[in-house]
Amino acid sequence: TDSIWFVQALLWLDAPGVDGTLINLLNEERYLGEAARGLLQLALPPNRDKFFLANTTNYEAIWAARAGVRPPGFDSTPAKRYAQAITLRITQLKEEGATATNPEFYVGRIKDLAVLLAILDGRDSAAFVIEALMPPGQWDAYARMNGVRALVSSGALLTFDAMLAVLDPAIEHILSDGLYNDQNLSLLVDCLELLLFGDGPAQAVARIEDVMSRF
């Protein structure tokens, strides 16, 4: 869409105040998602964001993040400001969705933004992100998994109960949908392995064993 090209043009031009322009665009529905991803790209240079959004979980990166190590090139000062702007927009979307006739539309938007917020400021925004990811939604298994993965990859220490509240609906959806393709199987494995990074590894193992017993 033209919103993608518009945001990319702003980033390529690297004009002064481009981040302010992107923050303002968060209020425009047409540009919301691309503007938020543009802010992420400013804080995390190109080709670095795969550190968080790769197709597999980077275990070494999780342990490094827990020790306070951020990926090379990550600029924490603007990242905090961008995170605040996205947090504000999520809060506004929650308020709008509470009285909307199509609340599921807002739930999807909120979860997409929550994943980006988790990358930018996972340690300090963990509780807010978890709350944003919890509401039921359609086809949100990837958003749930990516959100939790981004949180732990940012060094956030999550309780097992919080992780299960987000990931269990995804796990149950995958199991009900069937494991007849590699995509579903890979997503299930991603969800289960992330549970082990909470504060209850024994509970996580028990949940994994319960899922395995259903095959």
Side-chain angles (χ1 to χ4, degrees):
T1 65
D2 57 352
S3 61
I4 297 175
W5 292 109
F6 180 78
V7 170
Q8 286 303 311
L10 288 174
L11 295 172
W12 290 332
L13 288 171
D14 195 24
V18 64
D19 54 352
T21 300
L22 292 175
I23 288 173
N24 289 333
L25 286 175
L26 292 175
N27 296 309
E28 301 291 336
E29 173 56 36
R30 180 179 177 184
Y31 295 101
L32 174 58
E34 292 305 322
R37 281 183 282 274
L39 291 172
L40 174 60
Q41 189 171 329
L42 289 175
L44 199 59
N47 300 324
R48 298 289 189 183
D49 56 345
K50 293 181 180 179
F51 180 92
F52 289 97
L53 296 178
N55 292 327
T56 58
T57 301
N58 187 332
Y59 303 110
E60 293 183 4
I62 292 174
W63 299 125
R66 287 189 175 184
V69 178
R70 300 294 277 170
F74 185 82
D75 197 336
S76 59
T77 300
K80 178 67 73 172
R81 185 159 65 92
Y82 305 157
Q84 291 171 347
I86 291 175
T87 297
L88 175 60
R89 191 68 187 108
I90 290 175
T91 302
Q92 293 170 340
L93 288 171
K94 286 182 178 180
E95 295 172 354
E96 294 170 17
T99 57
T101 56
N102 56 338
E104 64 281 352
F105 172 82
Y106 289 86
V107 169
R109 281 285 193 263
I110 288 169
K111 289 181 181 179
D112 289 343
L113 291 177
V115 174
L116 301 178
L117 175 59
I119 300 172
L120 288 167
D121 190 40
R123 290 188 96 157
D124 291 339
S125 301
F128 185 86
V129 171
I130 289 293
E131 182 182 353
L133 293 171
M134 283 178 58
Q138 291 184 324
W139 312 108
D140 63 350
Y142 275 100
R144 289 174 178 273
M145 184 276 294
N146 281 326
V148 172
R149 177 188 280 170
L151 285 174
V152 297
S153 297
S154 296
L157 300 176
L158 305 177
T159 66
F160 171 78
D161 289 340
M163 297 181 81
L164 194 67
V166 175
L167 294 175
D168 220 35
I171 292 170
E172 290 300 326
H173 171 76
I174 297 165
L175 291 173
S176 65
D177 193 44
L179 300 175
Y180 303 110
N181 60 70
D182 291 341
Q183 187 176 15
N184 276 10
L185 182 59
S186 176
L187 180 56
L188 177 63
V189 171
D190 288 336
C191 289
L192 294 177
E193 67 185 8
L194 286 170
L195 289 175
L196 294 166
F197 288 94
D199 67 349
Q203 294 169 287
V205 170
R207 179 61 175 128
I208 292 170
E209 290 177 339
D210 173 61
V211 170
M212 295 298 293
S213 70
R214 294 162 64 178
F215 282 85

